[in-house]
Amino acid sequence: MKVNGKEVCLKPGTTILNLLEELKLKVDNVVVEVNLDIIENHQYSTYILKSDDIVEVIRFVGGG
């Protein structure tokens, strides 16, 4: 699977929430897109990623 353009190997059954935990990202600070579809954050704990998925994780950054 690709995450933000990089090849990543994850164990079968990995959810979006598992991925975010591995990346040390907070659910409230990101938007996740899988194969060009934005996934609602209430689905992160049940959405199982597949080996051929293309995932983009977009983080919100504050500042001025």
Side-chain angles (χ1 to χ4, degrees):
M1 133 180 10
K2 284 192 175 183
V3 177
N4 292 349
K6 297 179 183 178
E7 278 298 322
V8 175
C9 284
L10 296 173
K11 62 184 176 188
T14 298
T15 65
I16 292 174
L17 185 60
N18 298 141
L19 173 64
L20 295 177
E21 289 170 349
E22 189 167 315
L23 297 173
K24 296 180 176 38
L25 296 173
K26 294 183 180 183
V27 173
D28 297 336
N29 297 339
V30 298
V31 170
V32 178
E33 178 184 278
V34 178
N35 303 322
L36 302 177
D37 291 322
I38 294 175
I39 308 303
E40 298 290 329
N41 61 357
H42 65 85
Q43 295 178 292
Y44 290 178
S45 63
T46 57
Y47 192 104
I48 297 174
L49 296 166
K50 296 180 272 324
S51 62
D52 61 343
D53 283 339
I54 298 174
V55 180
E56 292 292 325
V57 180
I58 299 126
R59 292 190 318 165
F60 297 113
V61 180

